[in-house]
């Protein structure tokens, strides 16, 4: 239980640019994936597609995460469907439900800014509260799926997991119908005070910069 709710980011490799791009393919094609959930939710190779959503914050130079990478696609979708008040926002332009692809904010205050992009073209942020509730809800779902994932790994020790594109083709989309986002490279900075700030890379990395020492620290 202590490990499940340890929000300090653990060591390990950062998501690659390719892994981040695959995650964004999910967000850009989320509507059809959600609509067909009942068709593929019992197929482990799709349920356990790894996602790397941007859900990391920084407090006093320490990285805090809502859930450890990777987050399984099926687990994430269950949370979105069963707790829409936590994981969905309403587009202010077309009033359709949309799924944020990036979470920024302050765990200390509980505030969360959900960054989204709707099919109607609207982009923006939705400010909500309940950082810890979102984090524990998602972690509880991941924990409940862990035994199923262990069985899946034992039965499929050879070969990697499926991709979001594989799932979309299984659903019935052609290559021309799959929305592939353009590759972007963004750097976001959050001030920590006393000449320090943290830089978040859209490729999945982060670094704490100290202007006094002029050297980054992890």
């Amino acid at each position: 239980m202590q490990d499940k709710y340890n929000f300090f980011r653990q060591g390990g490799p950062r998501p690659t640019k390719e892994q981040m791009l695959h995650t964004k393919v999910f967000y850009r094609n989320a509507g059809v994936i959600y609509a067909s959930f009942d068709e593929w939710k019992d197929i482990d190779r799709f349920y356990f597609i790894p996602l790397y959503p941007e859900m990391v914050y920084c407090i006093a130079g320490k990285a805090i995460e809502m859930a450890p990478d990777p987050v399984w696609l099926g687990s994430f979708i269950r949370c979105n469907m069963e707790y829409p008040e936590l994981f969905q926002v309403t587009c202010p332009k077309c009033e359709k439900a949309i799924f944020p692809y990036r979470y920024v904010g302050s765990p200390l205050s509980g505030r969360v800014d959900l960054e989204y992009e709707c099919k109607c073209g609207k982009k923006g942020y939705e400010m909500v509260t309940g950082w810890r509730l979102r984090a524990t809800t998602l972690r509880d779902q991941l924990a409940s799926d862990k035994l199923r994932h262990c069985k899946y790994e034992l039965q499929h020790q050879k070969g990697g997991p499926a991709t979001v594109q594989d799932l979309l083709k299984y659903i019935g989309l052609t290559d021309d119908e799959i929305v592939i986002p353009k590759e972007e490279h963004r750097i976001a900075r959050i001030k920590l005070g006393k000449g320090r700030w943290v830089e978040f890379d859209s490729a999945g990395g982060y670094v704490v910069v100290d202007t006094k020492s002029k050297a980054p620290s992890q």
Side-chain angles (χ1 to χ4, degrees), residues 21-65:
L21 184 61
H22 282 314
T23 300
K24 291 178 181 178
V25 172
F26 159 63
Y27 287 119
R28 294 299 298 272
N29 297 271
V32 66
I33 293 176
Y34 276 82
S36 59
F37 182 57
D38 288 339
E39 297 178 26
W40 58 266
K41 65 182 181 181
D42 296 324
I43 304 176
D44 289 342
R45 65 185 295 262
F46 294 139
Y47 192 93
F48 293 111
I49 290 175
L51 297 179
Y52 296 84
E54 300 177 50
M55 299 191 294
V56 180
Y57 308 86
C58 192
I59 298 179
K62 297 292 185 178
I64 309 294
E65 60 187 357

Side-chain angles (χ1 to χ4, degrees), residues 64-78:
I64 309 294
E65 60 187 357
M66 288 184 68
D69 290 335
V71 173
W72 299 315
L73 174 64
S75 305
F76 189 73
I77 284 186
R78 283 193 185 277

Side-chain angles (χ1 to χ4, degrees), residues 13-25:
R14 299 286 182 263
T16 65
K17 190 174 182 179
E18 183 180 11
Q19 289 171 329
M20 295 295 292
L21 184 61
H22 282 314
T23 300
K24 291 178 181 178
V25 172

Side-chain angles (χ1 to χ4, degrees), residues 100-182:
Y101 60 86
R102 189 165 180 260
Y103 298 76
V104 296
S106 170
L108 290 178
S109 67
R111 178 186 136 183
V112 184
D113 291 339
L114 308 179
E115 185 176 354
Y116 62 84
E117 180 177 353
C118 185
K119 286 185 176 181
C120 71
K122 177 68 176 177
K123 298 180 182 180
Y125 293 86
E126 180 79 10
M127 188 177 75
V128 296
T129 58
W131 185 93
R132 185 178 179 87
L133 180 57
R134 284 175 173 77
T136 54
T137 300
L138 180 55
R139 285 171 180 251
D140 285 344
Q141 183 61 55
L142 291 167
S144 68
D145 289 332
K146 191 172 183 179
L147 178 59
R148 177 181 170 183
H149 182 256
C150 289
K151 292 180 179 178
Y152 168 67
E153 283 197 321
L154 288 173
Q155 295 172 359
H156 302 83
Q157 296 185 14
K158 295 183 179 180
T163 65
V164 175
Q165 288 93 323
D166 293 331
L167 172 57
L168 291 168
K169 290 178 180 179
Y170 172 83
I171 293 171
L173 271 66
T174 64
D175 288 334
D176 292 336
E177 293 172 322
I178 298 174
V179 180
I180 303 295
K182 295 180 180 180

